[in-house]
Amino acid sequence: MTADDHHVHDHGSELSDMQLRVRALETILTEKGYIDPAALDAIVEACETQIGPHNGARVVARAWVDPDFKRRLLEDATKAANSLGHVSPVGAHLIALENTPELHNLVVCTLCSCYPWEVLGLPPVWYKSAPYRSRAVIDPKGVLADFGLKLPEQTKVRIWDSTAETRFLVLPMRPEGSAELSEEQLAELVTRDSMVGTGLPKSPADAKRGASR
Ligand code: FE
């Protein structure tokens, strides 16, 4: 690409250049019969409803109730996650990071926005933002405070930088007071942020309050 390609033009549309390009491409491919708009809708629908943090939550909840699964998860997260039969199998090398009272794990992609989308869905906007990507490394506790997360003084924070080849899934600590819950109920406590490291799972009491609202 040369500098000449970067010309500015005003097309008088509300859509961004990228949206216009996607729309034009979709129209041409549909007209030529290469793609079926209904199939595209199904893919978008899968991304919006079937592929999301609930997949990661199932992985975490299983690890909380099944010590053998947890061992396999920490050994080879790709294999362990795929053994649950999710809609979209994990393709990249997935590594599970266990939080403990001594160590809290935080995931970032300093370069761009690599994210374990097969288990967490599409990344939130803040994950892709420059401030998160730079500050997570320089001032992790400050970033966690921005998310309303205050860790005990003695807990160390370790930062993990995602790449195109390696993605990370945080295995948060099982919340207190959750001993009586079923695996399905436990999965409902697992938030997306708790699997990125910017949050903690909900407590059973929080979950109850949320459900009665
Ligand atoms: Fe990236």
Side-chain angles (χ1 to χ4, degrees):
M1 194 179 259
T2 67
D4 287 339
D5 292 325
H6 290 285
H7 61 274
V8 178
H9 57 107
D10 185 5
H11 38 65
S13 165
E14 298 286 312
L15 297 173
S16 70
D17 271 3
M18 184 57 79
Q19 286 167 321
L20 286 169
R21 284 168 66 183
V22 169
R23 183 164 291 192
L25 198 58
E26 190 181 334
T27 304
I28 292 168
L29 291 174
T30 304
E31 277 172 10
K32 291 192 180 285
Y34 290 124
I35 57 166
D36 174 3
L40 274 190
D41 286 348
I43 294 170
V44 171
E45 154 100 11
C47 284
E48 283 173 350
T49 63
Q50 293 172 40
I51 303 167
H54 58 280
N55 289 325
R58 275 182 62 204
V59 172
V60 170
R62 175 66 59 87
W64 283 346
V65 299
D66 181 344
D68 181 60
F69 179 80
K70 179 178 162 183
R71 185 187 51 76
R72 289 192 285 124
L73 181 70
L74 295 175
E75 236 169 58
D76 184 341
T78 306
K79 222 176 179 179
N82 286 345
S83 74
L84 295 182
H86 292 148
V87 171
S88 184
V90 178
H93 182 203
L94 185 67
I95 295 176
L97 310 164
E98 185 182 17
N99 282 351
T100 66
E102 293 78 37
L103 180 70
H104 181 90
N105 296 289
L106 178 65
V107 180
V108 65
C109 177
T110 54
L111 202 61
C112 44
S113 58
C114 300
Y115 191 73
W117 63 269
E118 295 99 332
V119 279
L120 295 188
L122 300 173
V125 172
W126 55 258
Y127 186 84
K128 298 183 273 187
S129 74
Y132 176 75
R133 286 161 38 211
S134 54
R135 274 192 66 220
V137 184
I138 302 163
D139 176 22
K141 288 213 168 174
V143 169
L144 294 182
D146 288 347
F147 278 90
L149 179 55
K150 177 130 177 52
L151 296 169
E153 204 55 46
Q154 72 275 14
T155 304
K156 286 208 178 84
V157 179
R158 188 173 290 165
I159 315 299
W160 299 82
D161 197 353
S162 305
T163 67
E165 287 83 31
T166 308
R167 311 290 163 92
F168 301 99
L169 178 74
V170 175
L171 173 57
M173 287 190 283
R174 182 169 172 164
E176 307 242 335
S178 66
E180 306 297 315
L181 300 186
S182 69
E183 191 177 332
E184 288 71 31
Q185 289 169 320
L186 286 171
E188 283 167 24
L189 301 181
V190 184
T191 61
R192 176 196 65 201
D193 288 8
S194 73
M195 294 180 280
V196 181
T198 52
L200 298 179
K202 288 181 266 186
S203 73
D206 284 346
K208 234 178 241 162
R209 270 197 294 277
S212 63
R213 230 178 265 152

